[in-house]
Amino acid sequence: MLYRCVVIAATSFLAFICYMVYLANTGGHSIFFELVQRLPYGDKIGHFVLFMVLSSLVSAAWKFKTRQFLGWRVYQGSLFVLLFVVVEESSQLFIPSRSFDPLDFLANLLGVLAGTMFCRLAVKTARLPQI
């Protein structure tokens, strides 16, 4: 039951981010965009938090399975989110209504890293069960 809830949460959160990307790519509007614009550094904080949460949820949904990557053991969920970040941010170079921002890319990467570190800490300290 817990595992099913984690998978639903990860899938729903990924769908939410994909919808936000769609809105941004098509020039759509969202209350979230307005909120982010009102906060100092809100855009960068938003990128960081979104991808920290996404990488944590996807890693948990994939049962904290790891893979060797550049000499490190990394959660497969974090690698998936990292690939998503690279594709999504790079695609902005080819979408006329968007502009590539290296700081957004950096905030996304730091979010994935923070999510990965959170999962490592949670697995070690809480001795999380394999769900």
Side-chain angles (χ1 to χ4, degrees), residues 16-32:
F16 169 75
I17 291 176
C18 288
Y19 181 64
M20 291 294 107
V21 168
Y22 168 78
L23 286 179
N25 287 349
T26 59
H29 297 286
S30 166
I31 191 168
F32 297 106

Side-chain angles (χ1 to χ4, degrees), residues 5 17 26 29 35 49 58 60-61 91 109 114 123:
C5 291
I17 291 176
T26 59
H29 297 286
L35 176 64
V49 170
V58 174
S91 73
L109 294 178
V123 167

Side-chain angles (χ1 to χ4, degrees), residues 42-110:
D43 181 47
K44 306 312 176 239
I45 293 168
H47 279 265
F48 176 84
V49 170
L50 285 173
F51 287 99
M52 178 183 67
V53 172
L54 183 62
S55 65
S56 298
L57 287 173
V58 174
S59 293
W62 288 1
K63 300 181 180 181
F64 303 108
K65 291 180 182 168
T66 61
R67 176 176 297 267
Q68 227 19 51
F69 181 72
L70 301 175
W72 296 78
R73 297 294 302 166
V74 181
Y75 294 113
Q76 290 179 6
S78 293
L79 289 175
F80 169 79
V81 174
L82 179 64
L83 177 64
F84 179 82
V85 163
V86 169
V87 169
E88 196 284 316
E89 290 293 333
S90 299
S91 73
Q92 294 179 21
L93 295 167
F94 307 101
I95 300 173
S97 62
R98 302 292 305 272
S99 61
F100 176 80
D101 183 350
L103 292 178
D104 285 352
F105 186 72
L106 178 61
N108 293 345
L109 294 178
L110 291 174

